[in-house]
Amino acid sequence: MADIPATSRPSFSLDGLTLRYAVLVGLIVIASIGFSMANDNFYSMTNIGILLRSISVLFLVSMGMTFVMLTGGIDLSVGSNVAFSGGVGVVTLVSTGSPWLGFGAALIAGMAIGWLNGFFIGKLQLSAFMVTLATFALARGLALVIYDADSINVHDPVFLWLGGTSWGNMPVVIPFVILMFAALSVLLYKTSFGRDVYATGSNFNTAFVLGRQPGRKLIWVYVLTGALAGLSAIITVGRVSSGQPWTGLYLEFDAITAVILGGTALDGGRGKLLGTILGVLLYGIIINGLVLTGTNPYLQSVIKGAILLGVVLLDTYTQRGKA
């Protein structure tokens, strides 16, 4: 009698990225429940509005950082760039009385720092770490000079609208961030530019041989990141109704933490914007919860550093496991 072949049972498995997203969603739920038990106000509409407004800038900067890290690079200048471009925008507003010129000046200033990074990294092939470390100091110094190390109050309702207006408890900036996420997703996943970004991070030399002009793409990636820093500056000024020279301090480290937490590889070529959004949300919930529970601000810095170290170790271990 012929053997009857055993029927194979359907197997169910998750790829690494899907598993990472599932874990992030689970951690978001756990963190939310934990902080709501520690403080009854965590789920209040007022606190949710504060949370969303506070992480809107981190959303934008982290999406730009995702593009940079997909190329295998890093941008340590984004926080300083937010302060610098905000200063240029506020001074332009005060000098001309035109919020639209202020908007344009902030965007151009942010893109200028981005172009400077991109030129030295993409054109001259210098280290992304060293170049952006230099512009980190340069942009912060320029911000201090522009502000004369003091804040400048802003009263123009048009300039303050994006960062300071809410529809009920919903900040206006959140629908704006969602639109930016949709636009950047189309750019990354549906255009040749996005494919070239992944190709550059996967293998720069191969991308060059294939005619993808990775050096030029690097310039545009850093310009894009600079533009998002300029937008973040406008939002930040709207939130606090003033321009401040120390705006964006340590923002680059928060963005790097969120991007790696969301699954983007340190060595480039792998990652998704959705993971970055989940990483920002988890990171923002943790920081908001620590503030709400009255955690010592200095201890918060220790926790931020521990999270960054942990996600870097996790990424390194994961990549070694795939090798």
Side-chain angles (χ1 to χ4, degrees), residues 21 24 58-59 62-63 66 255 258-264 272-281:
Y21 293 166
L24 284 174
L58 185 57
F59 272 132
S62 296
M63 286 191 285
T66 302
V259 172
I260 300 174
L261 194 61
T264 298
K272 300 281 188 180
L273 286 174
L274 176 59
T276 295
I277 294 299
L278 293 175
V280 169
L281 191 56

Side-chain angles (χ1 to χ4, degrees), residues 1 9 13 37 75 82 86 89 98 140 155 168 171 178 187 203 208-209 228 237 263 266 268 274 289 299-300:
M1 176 182 283
R9 294 182 179 179
S13 62
M37 293 174 66
D75 189 350
V82 169
S98 170
R140 183 66 66 182
H155 304 288
I178 293 172
L187 178 64
N203 193 309
F208 180 81
V209 170
L228 291 171
V237 171
L266 278 168
L274 176 59
L299 182 59
Q300 291 177 31

Side-chain angles (χ1 to χ4, degrees), residues 70-71 188-189 193-203 268-273:
L70 282 174
T71 67
L188 185 59
Y189 307 131
F193 176 81
R195 291 188 289 272
D196 290 346
V197 167
Y198 279 102
T200 300
S202 297
N203 193 309
R270 296 179 301 278
K272 300 281 188 180
L273 286 174

Side-chain angles (χ1 to χ4, degrees), residues 6-29:
T7 56
S8 59
R9 294 182 179 179
S11 60
F12 178 77
S13 62
L14 295 175
D15 62 80
L17 207 55
T18 304
L19 181 60
R20 172 73 71 103
Y21 293 166
V23 170
L24 284 174
V25 171
L27 289 174
I28 289 170
V29 172

Side-chain angles (χ1 to χ4, degrees), residues 201-216:
S202 297
N203 193 309
F204 184 94
N205 293 328
T206 300
F208 180 81
V209 170
L210 294 175
R212 292 184 178 272
Q213 299 179 312
R216 182 176 297 178

Side-chain angles (χ1 to χ4, degrees), residues 75 77 81 107-124 131 135 215-216 218-227:
D75 189 350
S77 69
N81 197 2
L107 288 174
I108 291 171
M111 293 169 69
I113 296 294
W115 180 87
L116 195 64
N117 287 333
F119 177 79
F120 282 106
I121 296 167
K123 186 72 173 178
L124 302 185
V131 170
T135 52
R216 182 176 297 178
L218 281 174
I219 293 175
W220 282 111
V221 164
Y222 283 94
V223 169
L224 172 64
T225 304

Side-chain angles (χ1 to χ4, degrees), residues 29 32-33 36 39-48 292:
V29 172
S32 299
I33 293 174
S36 68
N39 191 303
D40 294 337
N41 293 323
F42 182 80
Y43 278 133
S44 69
M45 294 304 297
T46 300
N47 185 61
I48 291 174
L292 206 61

